Amino acid sequence: MMHCTALRATFIFIRPAATMRLMLQRKLKVSRKILIRGVEPKDGLDIMQANRPKTGSELTNGPGKLMQAFGVTDLRWNNVMITDSPFKIDLQDQRVPAQILTSARIGVSKRGGQTNSPYRYYVAGNPYVSGMRKREMNLATHGWLAQ
């Protein structure tokens, strides 16, 4: 397994919608969890490509691809808090999305009342979002505002 601290990626943290949702969840004492299904690599690209010999968004634009690129090859980190793992999320290095979209989750069974709920938040046009159609991708900015 690779040394995870050598990798950095842009994780998409949505504000203010997610902030409002977290505030509500805290007030109601509801579990606060996110599922990261894709990342835009920033550092450690050579390590990720050694683990998964792909380029561009095909490197990490889905949960299986992401795990392979990060060198996670077993279930060791299932149900482990990120603070108890070798993985880190850098909240200091942030980018501002031009537009945030919501949709129903991908691959969720068509049964139950939550099937079409907008629980999936993503940066519009970002090719590293799992399930993004090519015609919806913004290859110039990846959906981020200029810094």
Side-chain angles (χ1 to χ4, degrees), residues 7-14 36-43 48 60 66 70 88-91 93-97 123 126 128-129 141-144 147:
L7 302 177
R8 286 181 55 200
T10 300
F11 289 89
I12 302 166
F13 291 95
I14 311 309
I36 299 172
R37 297 187 52 89
V39 297
E40 185 173 346
K42 182 172 182 175
D43 297 322
M48 289 185 227
T60 57
L66 171 64
F70 274 40
K88 304 290 179 248
I89 295 177
D90 181 359
L91 297 177
D93 189 10
Q94 296 184 12
R95 297 165 86 185
V96 178
V123 173
N126 191 294
Y128 291 89
V129 173
T141 68
H142 292 186
W144 302 109
Q147 294 182 346

Side-chain angles (χ1 to χ4, degrees), residues 29-84:
K29 297 183 179 172
V30 177
S31 177
R32 297 175 304 273
K33 298 174 184 164
I34 60 169
L35 173 62
I36 299 172
R37 297 187 52 89
V39 297
E40 185 173 346
K42 182 172 182 175
D43 297 322
L45 195 58
D46 54 334
I47 297 170
M48 289 185 227
Q49 287 176 327
N51 291 332
R52 179 173 164 73
K54 298 288 182 179
T55 59
S57 61
E58 284 298 311
L59 183 62
T60 57
N61 70 341
K65 296 173 185 180
L66 171 64
M67 292 297 100
Q68 188 178 13
F70 274 40
V72 177
T73 58
D74 55 34
L75 300 177
R76 176 183 336 183
W77 303 114
N78 271 13
N79 299 314
V80 175
M81 297 295 291
I82 197 162
T83 54
D84 298 328

